[in-house]
Amino acid sequence: MFVAMVPPAEAVEDLDAFLDVRRAAAPFRWTQPDQLHVTLAFLAAVPDRSLDDLVERLAAAARRRTPVTARIAGGGAFPHPDAAKVVWAGLRTTGTDHAELVRMSDGARRAANASGIAPDGQRFRPHLTVARTGRPRQVTRWVQLLDGYEGPSWRVGEWSLVASHLGEGPARRPRYEEVARVQVG
């Protein structure tokens, strides 16, 4: 499972249109538009008995946060552009909104910990995975291309708790199932 911010349809459609005419130029495994999200906390194992408590704690954590304005803009690669396995689009905010995004991630992680669920220990870096390369590849041109992208802004006002069913989606990709949605603020 993971806790995520899901961009609205217009933001996803704008990014999809930007990438659509370029996808054929790279042998990547492209993320389906309906699976684009910003992960606040990754939860590798969530026991059924902990689910209700987790949702309650996530709702309480989200209520303590303030909605922010964000846009998909820029890009990068993990672990780095010279040997990337993941190509991503960034999430841009203004003013104090970036700090609030970090607090959202921290709050989601604390809610999971308090429910007895250990979140992944990676540092929060707001991004949307747009492609996986399969093996390490040089993707500097793709990062430069994404650096020139700036989509429409939207208000981040909710989090989704999502179950990922590996191999159950099209072409053996994960199938995502929204388990709960909680309001920010």
Side-chain angles (χ1 to χ4, degrees):
M1 295 187 121
F2 55 89
V3 181
M5 297 180 305
V6 179
E10 55 274 7
V12 170
E13 289 166 3
D14 193 80
L15 177 61
D16 188 48
F18 177 80
L19 293 173
D20 191 47
V21 297
R22 297 164 173 88
R23 285 189 181 108
F28 302 157
R29 188 177 58 181
W30 294 94
T31 302
Q32 297 299 307
D34 65 342
Q35 293 189 332
L36 290 170
H37 64 275
V38 177
T39 301
L40 292 171
F42 179 75
L43 314 172
V46 178
D48 288 342
R49 68 181 181 280
S50 301
L51 189 56
D52 290 340
D53 184 52
L54 173 62
V55 171
E56 286 177 26
R57 290 178 187 275
L58 285 172
R63 280 192 303 270
R64 289 190 289 275
R65 302 286 29 109
T66 302
V68 299
T69 300
R71 72 175 64 236
I72 302 169
F78 294 132
H80 52 80
D82 291 334
K85 289 188 166 190
V86 170
V87 178
W88 51 265
L91 192 70
R92 187 170 299 154
T93 56
T94 57
T96 60
D97 284 354
H98 179 76
E100 186 63 16
L101 275 180
V102 172
R103 287 189 290 272
M104 286 184 188
S105 176
D106 290 346
R109 294 168 61 80
R110 279 194 301 277
N113 269 324
S115 297
I117 302 160
D120 180 296
Q122 298 294 320
R123 179 176 64 100
F124 176 63
R125 184 174 198 160
H127 72 280
L128 300 92
T129 296
V130 296
R132 296 185 184 281
T133 63
R135 61 178 173 78
R137 292 183 186 265
Q138 167 58 255
V139 298
T140 300
R141 287 185 178 197
W142 285 96
V143 171
Q144 290 170 339
L145 178 75
L146 284 165
D147 276 344
Y149 175 77
E150 188 167 312
S153 63
W154 81 91
R155 193 134 174 94
V156 177
E158 59 189 19
W159 303 346
S160 294
L161 177 61
V162 179
S164 179
H165 304 281
L166 300 178
E168 292 183 14
R172 301 186 41 84
R173 293 172 189 231
R175 176 179 60 82
Y176 291 162
E177 173 190 4
E178 185 179 70
V179 175
R181 188 179 302 175
V182 297
Q183 299 302 307
V184 174

